[in-house]
Amino acid sequence: MRLRDEQIARLAEKVLGELERGALIDEKQGRPALLAAIRGAIDADLKAEQALERDAEQLLEQSLRGMGGGAGIDRHKMLKMIKDKLAKERKIVL
C-alpha cells in the first residue's frame, strides 16, 4: 500500500493521540520527536511491504517461466501464496 506523506502524518497523529489518551506513553522527548519516530516506523513498514511485493512479483514470474508460462494457473492466488510465504519468512505482518 502506498500512502502520501500527509496520510502518514495523519496516521501518526492518530496513533500518538490514542497512546496519549490511554496514558500508554511518557513523553520524555516531546510530541514532535514522538511523531517523527512514529512516522518513521510507518514509512519503514510501508517500504518493507513494497519490497516484499516486488520480490513476490519477481518470484512469481520466475516460477511461471519455469513452468513454461504457467497456463491455467491463477496468478493472483499464486502471488498471494508467495507474498504470504515471504511475509512469514521476513516476519512482516500484512
Side-chain angles (χ1 to χ4, degrees), residues 26-83:
D26 183 18
E27 294 182 13
K28 293 179 182 176
Q29 295 182 342
R31 200 163 203 284
L34 289 171
L35 282 172
I38 294 170
R39 281 194 306 265
I42 293 168
D43 193 46
D45 186 64
L46 290 172
K47 285 180 181 170
E49 191 174 331
Q50 289 170 346
L52 179 100
E53 180 78 30
R54 279 192 310 273
D55 293 347
E57 288 282 349
Q58 289 174 349
L59 282 172
L60 175 62
E61 291 305 319
Q62 289 173 359
S63 298
L64 291 177
R65 279 195 303 271
M67 291 189 253
I73 292 178
D74 184 351
R75 289 179 54 90
H76 181 71
K77 186 175 180 180
M78 192 166 178
L79 179 62
K80 179 163 177 23
M81 289 171 44
I82 292 170
K83 281 175 56 176

Side-chain angles (χ1 to χ4, degrees), residues 11-41:
L11 182 56
E13 281 280 353
K14 182 157 179 64
V15 168
L16 183 55
E18 291 296 320
L19 291 171
E20 289 169 336
R21 273 189 284 292
L24 298 171
I25 58 169
D26 183 18
E27 294 182 13
K28 293 179 182 176
Q29 295 182 342
R31 200 163 203 284
L34 289 171
L35 282 172
I38 294 170
R39 281 194 306 265

